[in-house]
Amino acid sequence: MKLNSKQLERTLNQFEAEVLPENHPALEQLSGIYGDHTFLLDGGGLNVLEPAGLSEAEVQTGEIVSLASWSDATLSSLRPHEPERTGVLVSLEPMH
């Protein structure tokens, strides 16, 4: 899913990652493969956020899905794999 600015801010407050910039040369290819997403890079690799529905508190949540893992210790090359749900949930709405 493509995150709006508030959702992105909430996501980055709960999941330590960097956003792949809109002008990144790989963005067009990634969007062609995985669809229109906000792509997130962390120490494990390349991720996206997929809708997870509503939590018990009826708050919209998303789940981090891993798309590729770093293939080297310098974090300079990614190795794609089948999308893997990580179990990491992110609240996309403010908690009241």
Side-chain angles (χ1 to χ4, degrees):
M1 71 188 285
K2 190 77 166 173
L3 301 174
N4 65 38
S5 61
K6 289 185 187 237
Q7 290 172 325
L8 183 57
E9 181 181 344
R10 288 186 192 109
T11 298
L12 295 177
N13 283 333
Q14 299 169 70
F15 179 71
E16 190 172 329
E18 293 182 28
V19 178
L20 195 65
E22 291 290 327
N23 63 350
H24 193 281
L27 192 62
E28 185 176 335
Q29 183 180 10
L30 289 170
S31 294
I33 296 169
Y34 299 109
D36 195 22
H37 285 282
T38 300
F39 293 94
L40 306 167
L41 289 168
D42 72 350
L46 180 68
N47 308 279
V48 293
L49 191 68
E50 289 288 343
L54 298 176
S55 69
E56 292 177 15
E58 296 187 11
V59 173
Q60 183 183 7
T61 58
E63 182 176 5
I64 301 294
V65 175
S66 174
L67 303 176
S69 299
W70 294 112
S71 62
D72 60 2
T74 61
L75 308 182
S76 62
S77 180
L78 288 165
R79 182 180 57 251
H81 52 70
E82 288 296 316
E84 298 174 358
R85 294 197 171 273
T86 64
V88 176
L89 296 178
V90 173
S91 171
L92 296 174
E93 298 174 7
M95 301 299 271
H96 299 284

